[in-house]
Protein backbone atom coordinates (compact mmCIF):
# COMPACT_ATOMS: atom_id res chain seq x y z
CA UNK A 1 0.00 0.00 0.00
CA UNK A 2 1.45 3.41 -0.85
CA UNK A 3 1.63 6.19 1.73
CA UNK A 4 -1.42 8.03 0.42
CA UNK A 5 -3.57 4.93 0.56
CA UNK A 6 -2.33 4.14 4.05
CA UNK A 7 -3.13 7.68 5.16
CA UNK A 8 -6.61 7.59 3.75
CA UNK A 9 -7.29 4.15 5.28
CA UNK A 10 -6.20 5.60 8.63
CA UNK A 11 -8.42 8.66 8.06
CA UNK A 12 -11.39 6.43 7.25
CA UNK A 13 -10.82 4.45 10.41
CA UNK A 14 -10.69 7.63 12.50
CA UNK A 15 -13.86 8.95 10.82
CA UNK A 16 -15.73 5.73 11.50
CA UNK A 17 -14.55 5.70 15.14
CA UNK A 18 -15.58 9.35 15.46
CA UNK A 19 -19.09 8.44 14.25
CA UNK A 20 -19.23 5.62 16.77
CA UNK A 21 -18.14 8.02 19.53
CA UNK A 22 -20.91 10.44 18.50
CA UNK A 23 -23.39 7.58 18.76
CA UNK A 24 -22.40 6.52 22.28
CA UNK A 25 -21.61 9.99 23.69
CA UNK A 26 -24.74 11.67 22.32
CA UNK A 27 -27.43 9.12 21.68
CA UNK A 28 -26.97 5.56 22.94
CA UNK A 29 -24.41 5.24 25.75
CA UNK A 30 -26.24 2.10 26.87
CA UNK A 31 -25.24 0.39 23.62
CA UNK A 32 -21.83 -0.37 25.18
CA UNK A 33 -22.89 -0.08 28.83
CA UNK A 34 -21.59 3.46 29.24
CA UNK A 35 -23.10 5.89 31.76
CA UNK A 36 -22.96 9.66 31.19
CA UNK A 37 -23.21 12.00 34.16
CA UNK A 38 -25.81 14.78 34.14
CA UNK A 39 -23.46 17.06 32.20
CA UNK A 40 -22.67 14.39 29.61
CA UNK A 41 -19.20 13.42 30.89
CA UNK A 42 -17.88 9.87 31.09
CA UNK A 43 -14.47 8.53 32.21
CA UNK A 44 -12.02 8.14 29.30
CA UNK A 45 -10.71 4.79 30.64
CA UNK A 46 -14.18 3.35 30.72
CA UNK A 47 -14.99 4.66 27.26
CA UNK A 48 -11.83 3.08 25.83
CA UNK A 49 -12.40 -0.31 27.47
CA UNK A 50 -16.08 -0.42 26.55
CA UNK A 51 -15.40 0.65 22.96
CA UNK A 52 -12.77 -2.11 22.72
CA UNK A 53 -15.21 -4.68 24.07
CA UNK A 54 -17.66 -3.55 21.35
CA UNK A 55 -15.04 -4.05 18.62
CA UNK A 56 -13.82 -0.43 18.34
CA UNK A 57 -10.29 -0.76 19.67
CA UNK A 58 -8.94 2.71 20.28
CA UNK A 59 -5.79 3.96 22.00
CA UNK A 60 -5.73 7.03 24.23
CA UNK A 61 -3.56 8.72 21.57
CA UNK A 62 -6.06 7.94 18.79
CA UNK A 63 -8.87 9.32 20.95
CA UNK A 64 -6.91 12.53 21.53
CA UNK A 65 -6.28 12.76 17.79
CA UNK A 66 -10.04 12.48 17.12
CA UNK A 67 -10.82 15.16 19.72
CA UNK A 68 -8.15 17.43 18.21
CA UNK A 69 -8.95 16.91 14.56
CA UNK A 70 -12.76 16.56 14.53
CA UNK A 71 -13.88 18.98 11.81
CA UNK A 72 -16.60 20.33 14.06
CA UNK A 73 -14.80 19.91 17.39
CA UNK A 74 -17.48 17.44 18.39
CA UNK A 75 -15.85 16.26 21.64
CA UNK A 76 -14.13 17.81 24.66
CA UNK A 77 -11.75 16.33 27.22
CA UNK A 78 -11.98 17.59 30.80
CA UNK A 79 -9.11 19.81 31.94
CA UNK A 80 -7.37 16.92 33.70
CA UNK A 81 -7.92 14.67 30.68
CA UNK A 82 -9.75 11.95 32.62
CA UNK A 83 -13.24 12.57 31.23
CA UNK A 84 -14.77 13.18 27.80
CA UNK A 85 -18.12 14.43 26.49
CA UNK A 86 -19.76 15.48 23.25
CA UNK A 87 -19.89 19.27 22.91
CA UNK A 88 -23.47 19.25 21.64
CA UNK A 89 -25.97 17.27 19.58
CA UNK A 90 -27.24 14.97 22.33
CA UNK A 91 -30.57 13.20 22.24
CA UNK A 92 -30.11 11.69 25.73
CA UNK A 93 -30.98 14.15 28.49
CA UNK A 94 -27.87 16.09 29.55
CA UNK A 95 -27.39 19.58 30.91
CA UNK A 96 -24.24 20.98 29.32
CA UNK A 97 -24.33 23.91 31.77
CA UNK A 98 -23.98 26.48 29.00
CA UNK A 99 -24.84 30.02 30.15
CA UNK A 100 -27.47 31.98 28.20
CA UNK A 101 -25.76 34.33 25.77
CA UNK A 102 -26.87 37.20 23.53
CA UNK A 103 -26.71 35.93 19.94
CA UNK A 104 -25.41 37.82 16.89
CA UNK A 105 -28.18 39.78 15.14
CA UNK A 106 -28.57 37.17 12.42
CA UNK A 107 -28.05 33.42 12.57
CA UNK A 108 -28.42 30.84 9.83
CA UNK A 109 -30.00 27.43 9.58
CA UNK A 110 -29.27 25.08 6.72
CA UNK A 111 -32.00 22.67 5.82
CA UNK A 112 -33.28 20.68 2.90
CA UNK A 113 -35.70 21.96 0.26
CA UNK A 114 -38.37 19.37 0.96
CA UNK A 115 -38.63 20.46 4.63
CA UNK A 116 -39.29 24.11 3.71
CA UNK A 117 -43.09 24.15 3.51
CA UNK A 118 -43.37 22.54 6.93
CA UNK A 119 -40.66 24.78 8.48
CA UNK A 120 -42.15 28.00 7.06
CA UNK A 121 -45.56 26.98 8.43
CA UNK A 122 -44.52 25.62 11.85
CA UNK A 123 -41.09 27.17 12.49
CA UNK A 124 -37.93 25.25 13.33
CA UNK A 125 -38.38 22.45 15.84
CA UNK A 126 -35.60 20.65 17.64
CA UNK A 127 -36.75 17.25 16.45
CA UNK A 128 -34.73 14.46 18.10
CA UNK A 129 -32.09 16.85 19.50
CA UNK A 130 -32.17 19.07 22.58
CA UNK A 131 -32.14 22.29 20.60
CA UNK A 132 -32.44 23.79 17.17
CA UNK A 133 -28.90 24.19 15.81
CA UNK A 134 -27.96 27.52 14.24
CA UNK A 135 -24.75 28.77 12.70
CA UNK A 136 -22.90 32.03 12.18
CA UNK A 137 -21.41 30.80 8.94
CA UNK A 138 -23.27 30.39 5.64
CA UNK A 139 -20.88 27.68 4.45
CA UNK A 140 -21.38 25.60 7.61
CA UNK A 141 -25.16 25.99 7.48
CA UNK A 142 -25.21 25.07 3.78
CA UNK A 143 -23.14 21.94 4.47
CA UNK A 144 -25.57 20.94 7.25
CA UNK A 145 -28.52 21.37 4.87
CA UNK A 146 -26.78 19.45 2.08
CA UNK A 147 -26.55 16.29 4.23
CA UNK A 148 -30.09 15.29 3.28
CA UNK A 149 -30.67 16.77 -0.18
CA UNK A 150 -30.73 20.19 -1.85
CA UNK A 151 -29.57 22.71 0.73
CA UNK A 152 -31.65 25.79 1.53
CA UNK A 153 -30.41 28.53 3.81
CA UNK A 154 -32.76 30.21 6.28
CA UNK A 155 -32.05 33.47 8.03
CA UNK A 156 -33.06 33.73 11.69
CA UNK A 157 -33.76 37.16 13.16
CA UNK A 158 -31.88 36.30 16.34
CA UNK A 159 -31.80 39.91 17.57
CA UNK A 160 -35.60 40.09 17.56
CA UNK A 161 -35.94 36.63 19.09
CA UNK A 162 -33.57 37.60 21.88
CA UNK A 163 -35.39 40.90 22.44
CA UNK A 164 -38.64 38.90 22.66
CA UNK A 165 -37.19 36.73 25.44
CA UNK A 166 -35.98 33.63 23.58
CA UNK A 167 -32.90 32.11 25.20
CA UNK A 168 -29.74 31.23 23.26
CA UNK A 169 -26.64 29.25 24.19
CA UNK A 170 -23.38 28.76 22.33
CA UNK A 171 -21.77 25.32 22.50
CA UNK A 172 -18.03 24.88 23.02
CA UNK A 173 -17.69 24.24 19.28
CA UNK A 174 -19.50 27.41 18.22
CA UNK A 175 -22.97 26.08 17.44
CA UNK A 176 -25.81 28.39 18.54
CA UNK A 177 -28.62 26.57 20.32
CA UNK A 178 -32.20 27.59 21.06
CA UNK A 179 -35.37 25.69 21.93
CA UNK A 180 -37.36 26.54 18.80
CA UNK A 181 -37.55 29.23 16.13
CA UNK A 182 -41.14 30.35 15.46
CA UNK A 183 -41.84 30.97 11.77
CA UNK A 184 -42.20 34.73 12.26
CA UNK A 185 -38.42 35.01 12.79
CA UNK A 186 -37.49 33.05 9.65
CA UNK A 187 -36.81 34.22 6.12
CA UNK A 188 -35.13 32.67 3.11
CA UNK A 189 -31.53 33.84 2.77
CA UNK A 190 -30.84 35.31 -0.66
CA UNK A 191 -27.74 34.62 -2.70
CA UNK A 192 -26.99 31.33 -1.02
CA UNK A 193 -23.39 31.12 -2.12
C1 LIG B 1 -35.52 19.96 10.11
C2 LIG B 1 -24.85 17.78 12.48
C3 LIG B 1 -39.74 19.94 8.96
C4 LIG B 1 -34.22 20.70 10.26
C5 LIG B 1 -24.97 19.00 11.61
C6 LIG B 1 -33.24 19.57 10.03
C7 LIG B 1 -25.42 20.05 12.59
C8 LIG B 1 -37.94 20.51 10.25
C9 LIG B 1 -33.95 18.36 10.61
C10 LIG B 1 -26.18 19.27 13.63
C11 LIG B 1 -38.75 21.31 11.10
C12 LIG B 1 -33.41 17.95 11.95
C13 LIG B 1 -27.65 19.57 13.60
C14 LIG B 1 -40.13 21.39 10.78
C15 LIG B 1 -36.72 21.46 11.80
N1 LIG B 1 -40.58 20.70 9.72
N2 LIG B 1 -38.43 19.84 9.19
N3 LIG B 1 -40.98 22.13 11.52
N4 LIG B 1 -37.96 21.87 12.03
N5 LIG B 1 -36.69 20.62 10.72
O1 LIG B 1 -29.89 16.54 12.27
O2 LIG B 1 -29.81 21.18 12.22
O3 LIG B 1 -22.39 15.91 12.37
O4 LIG B 1 -31.55 17.05 14.14
O5 LIG B 1 -34.09 21.74 9.29
O6 LIG B 1 -23.77 19.28 10.96
O7 LIG B 1 -29.82 19.31 10.47
O8 LIG B 1 -24.07 15.56 14.19
O9 LIG B 1 -30.57 18.93 12.88
O10 LIG B 1 -33.00 19.38 8.68
O11 LIG B 1 -24.40 20.76 13.18
O12 LIG B 1 -21.99 16.91 14.61
O13 LIG B 1 -35.32 18.72 10.76
O14 LIG B 1 -25.95 17.90 13.32
O15 LIG B 1 -23.68 17.80 13.22
O16 LIG B 1 -32.16 17.37 11.72
O17 LIG B 1 -28.16 19.30 12.29
P1 LIG B 1 -31.00 17.38 12.81
P2 LIG B 1 -29.63 19.75 11.87
P3 LIG B 1 -22.98 16.46 13.63
Amino acid sequence: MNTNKKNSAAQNRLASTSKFLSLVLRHQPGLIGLVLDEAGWTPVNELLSKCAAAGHVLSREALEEIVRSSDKQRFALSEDGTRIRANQGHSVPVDLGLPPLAPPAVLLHGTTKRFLPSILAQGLARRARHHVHLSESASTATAVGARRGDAVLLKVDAARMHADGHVFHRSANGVWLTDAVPAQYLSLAEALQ
Side-chain angles (χ1 to χ4, degrees), residues 17-28 74-75 86:
T17 304
S18 174
K19 283 199 174 141
F20 184 72
L21 291 176
S22 284
L23 178 69
V24 296
L25 292 175
R26 288 169 166 181
H27 307 299
Q28 291 184 43
R74 290 187 175 89
F75 314 105

Side-chain angles (χ1 to χ4, degrees), residues 26 72 74 109 111 118 123 125 127 129 144 147-148:
R26 288 169 166 181
K72 290 189 203 145
R74 290 187 175 89
H109 178 85
T111 189
S118 159
R127 297 292 169 119
R129 304 198 191 237
V144 171
R147 288 178 306 149
R148 298 193 177 98

Side-chain angles (χ1 to χ4, degrees), residues 19 22 26-27 70-72 74 88-89 109-112 114-129 131-135 140 143-145 147-148 154 173 175:
K19 283 199 174 141
S22 284
R26 288 169 166 181
H27 307 299
S70 161
D71 52 350
K72 290 189 203 145
R74 290 187 175 89
Q88 37 73 222
H109 178 85
T111 189
T112 303
R114 65 179 184 282
F115 296 159
L116 258 192
S118 159
I119 291 174
L120 292 176
Q122 301 165 14
L124 283 170
R126 60 197 175 85
R127 297 292 169 119
R129 304 198 191 237
H131 297 97
V132 172
H133 288 215
L134 304 171
S135 165
T140 302
V144 171
R147 288 178 306 149
R148 298 193 177 98
L154 290 166
N173 58 342
V175 177

Side-chain angles (χ1 to χ4, degrees), residues 19 26 32 36 39 49 52-53 67 92 97 132 134-135 138 140 146 150 155 157 165 173 183 192-193:
K19 283 199 174 141
R26 288 169 166 181
I32 57 168
L36 310 183
S49 63
V67 172
V92 293
V132 172
L134 304 171
S135 165
T140 302
D150 290 340
K155 229 160 75 172
D157 189 344
N173 58 342
L192 298 192
Q193 292 298 314

Side-chain angles (χ1 to χ4, degrees), residues 23-132:
L23 178 69
V24 296
L25 292 175
R26 288 169 166 181
H27 307 299
Q28 291 184 43
L31 197 65
I32 57 168
L34 209 61
V35 177
L36 310 183
D37 73 11
E38 67 276 9
W41 296 102
T42 200
V44 170
N45 289 343
E46 236 173 82
L47 174 70
L48 295 179
S49 63
K50 289 185 168 160
C51 279
H56 289 264
V57 178
L58 180 66
S59 66
R60 166 96 206 186
E61 291 68 37
L63 180 68
E64 284 176 6
E65 172 63 18
I66 288 172
V67 172
R68 214 177 14 249
S69 64
S70 161
D71 52 350
K72 290 189 203 145
Q73 296 293 298
R74 290 187 175 89
F75 314 105
L77 286 164
S78 59
E79 266 178 34
D80 63 3
T82 62
R83 294 177 306 149
I84 186 168
R85 76 174 178 185
N87 278 326
Q88 37 73 222
H90 300 80
S91 54
V92 293
V94 295
D95 178 359
L96 295 173
L98 300 170
L101 202 62
V106 173
L107 284 168
L108 300 165
H109 178 85
T111 189
T112 303
K113 233 179 207 166
R114 65 179 184 282
F115 296 159
L116 258 192
S118 159
I119 291 174
L120 292 176
Q122 301 165 14
L124 283 170
R126 60 197 175 85
R127 297 292 169 119
R129 304 198 191 237
H130 284 194
H131 297 97
V132 172

Side-chain angles (χ1 to χ4, degrees), residues 103 160-168 178 180-182 185:
R160 196 156 57 87
M161 275 185 75
H162 188 240
D164 291 348
H166 291 268
V167 176
F168 289 81
T178 194
V181 180
Y185 303 106

